Amino acid sequence: EMWRSLVQTGEWQGEVFDRRRNGEIYPKWLSISAVRDGRGTITHFIGAQTELSERKKAEERINSLAFFDQLTGLPNRTLLLDRLGLAMNASTRSGLWGAVLVVNIDRFKVLNDSVGREQGDAFLRFLALSLPDCVRPGDTVARAGGDEFIVVLTGLGAREREAANRAEAAGERIQAAVAAQAGAPWGGGAVTASIGAALFRGDHPPADDLLRQADLAVRRARDAGGNRM
C-alpha cells in the first residue's frame, strides 16, 4: 500500500513499528515523499519520522484513568456499564439469563478505622485479585468505589431458577473469598460480605433498573445483619 501510494501520488504517511539497535520495538509516524528529476522520474525518497512512544503511553494512561479503578486495576463503573450492555445484547441473542451482583464489605469503615487506611486499601487490592477467580473468565468484576464491587454474570442458563441457583453459587464463592481474609492483617478476625443480586434476560429489566434492584437487595442484606445474599 505504501509503495502504491508513493508511485501514484509521490507521498505516503502512516503509523509503523520500527526496531532500535538494542532490539526494542517502538511505534513511529512516518512521512515519505518522492523526489523526481527534471524528466519526472523518481530518483529517491525523503522520509521524516516522529517517535510515538510517549504519546502512546499518554493515551494508555488516559484510557486507564477513564475506564479502570486506580486502586485495584479493575474496571470502573463506566466500563462496567459498557460490559453490562454487551452482556444484555448477548442475552437477547442467546435467550440465556444473566445476573448482576452488588458486593459490599460489611463494616468496612470499622475495619479501616481499626487497621488503618493503608491496610484497608491492601485488603481491597487483594479482593481485586481474588474475586475474579470466583467467576468465569467471560464474567466481569468491577469496583464501583469505596467497598462496593459489582459482578456481571452471563450465560447462567435458559431457566430462571437455574440462573438463580448459579448466581447464588457465585455469591457464596465470593463470600468465602472475603471470609478467607479473616486471618490477614486487615481481617481483624471477621471480614464478611453482603451481596444483592438481580437477574436479567435480554434487556429486561433495563440496566439502570437492574442496578437499582441489586442495590436495594444488598441494602436489605445489610439491614438484616450482613453476611448474607
Coordinates of all heavy atoms in Angstrom, one line a residue, residues 14-16 26-31 47-53 55:
G14 N 1.9 7.3 7.6 CA 1.2 6.4 8.4 C 2.0 6.0 9.6 O 3.2 6.3 9.8
E15 N 1.3 5.2 10.5 CA 2.0 4.7 11.7 C 2.6 3.3 11.4 O 2.0 2.5 10.9 CB 1.0 4.6 12.8 CG 1.6 4.2 14.2 CD 0.5 4.2 15.3 OE1 -0.4 5.0 15.2 OE2 0.7 3.3 16.2
V16 N 3.9 3.2 11.8 CA 4.6 1.9 11.6 C 5.4 1.6 12.9 O 5.5 2.4 13.8 CB 5.6 2.0 10.4 CG1 4.9 2.3 9.1 CG2 6.6 3.1 10.7
Y26 N 9.4 -0.1 18.7 CA 8.7 1.2 19.1 C 7.9 1.7 17.9 O 8.2 1.4 16.7 CB 9.8 2.2 19.5 CG 10.6 2.8 18.4 CD1 10.3 4.0 17.7 CD2 11.7 2.1 17.9 CE1 11.0 4.5 16.7 CE2 12.5 2.6 16.9 CZ 12.2 3.8 16.3 OH 12.9 4.2 15.2
P27 N 6.8 2.4 18.2 CA 5.9 3.0 17.2 C 6.4 4.4 16.7 O 7.0 5.1 17.5 CB 4.6 3.1 17.9 CG 4.9 3.4 19.3 CD 6.2 2.7 19.6
K28 N 6.2 4.7 15.5 CA 6.6 6.0 15.0 C 5.6 6.4 13.8 O 5.0 5.5 13.2 CB 8.0 6.0 14.5 CG 8.3 5.2 13.2 CD 9.7 5.3 12.8 CE 10.0 4.5 11.5 NZ 11.4 4.5 11.1
W29 N 5.5 7.7 13.6 CA 4.7 8.2 12.5 C 5.7 8.6 11.4 O 6.7 9.3 11.6 CB 3.9 9.5 12.9 CG 3.0 9.9 11.8 CD1 3.3 10.9 10.9 CD2 1.7 9.5 11.5 NE1 2.2 11.1 10.0 CE2 1.2 10.2 10.4 CE3 0.9 8.5 12.1 CZ2 0.0 10.0 9.8 CZ3 -0.3 8.3 11.5 CH2 -0.8 9.0 10.4
L30 N 5.5 8.0 10.2 CA 6.5 8.1 9.1 C 5.8 8.8 7.9 O 4.7 8.4 7.5 CB 7.0 6.7 8.7 CG 7.9 6.6 7.5 CD1 9.2 7.4 7.8 CD2 8.2 5.2 7.1
S31 N 6.5 9.9 7.4 CA 6.0 10.6 6.2 C 7.1 10.5 5.2 O 8.3 10.8 5.4 CB 5.8 12.1 6.6 OG 4.7 12.2 7.5
G47 N 12.3 10.7 3.9 CA 11.3 10.3 4.9 C 11.6 11.1 6.2 O 12.7 11.4 6.5
A48 N 10.5 11.5 6.9 CA 10.6 12.1 8.2 C 9.8 11.3 9.2 O 8.7 10.9 8.9 CB 10.1 13.6 8.1
Q49 N 10.3 11.1 10.4 CA 9.7 10.3 11.3 C 9.6 11.0 12.7 O 10.4 11.8 13.1 CB 10.4 8.9 11.5 CG 11.8 9.0 12.1 CD 12.5 7.7 12.1 OE1 12.3 6.9 11.2 NE2 13.3 7.5 13.1
T50 N 8.5 10.7 13.4 CA 8.3 11.2 14.7 C 8.0 10.0 15.7 O 7.0 9.2 15.4 CB 7.1 12.2 14.8 OG1 7.3 13.2 13.9 CG2 6.9 12.7 16.2
E51 N 8.8 9.8 16.7 CA 8.5 8.7 17.6 C 7.3 8.9 18.4 O 7.0 10.0 18.9 CB 9.7 8.5 18.5 CG 9.6 7.3 19.4 CD 10.8 7.0 20.2 OE1 11.9 7.5 19.9 OE2 10.7 6.3 21.2
L52 N 6.5 7.9 18.6 CA 5.2 7.9 19.3 C 5.1 7.3 20.6 O 4.1 7.2 21.2 CB 4.1 7.3 18.4 CG 3.9 7.9 17.0 CD1 2.8 7.2 16.2 CD2 3.5 9.4 17.1
S53 N 6.3 6.8 21.1 CA 6.3 6.0 22.4 C 5.6 6.8 23.5 O 4.7 6.3 24.2 CB 7.7 5.6 22.7 OG 8.3 4.8 21.8
R55 N 3.6 9.4 23.4 CA 2.2 9.7 23.1 C 1.4 8.4 23.4 O 0.3 8.5 23.9 CB 2.0 10.1 21.6 CG 0.6 10.5 21.3 CD 0.5 10.8 19.8 NE 1.3 12.0 19.5 CZ 1.4 12.4 18.2 NH1 0.7 11.8 17.2 NH2 2.1 13.5 17.9

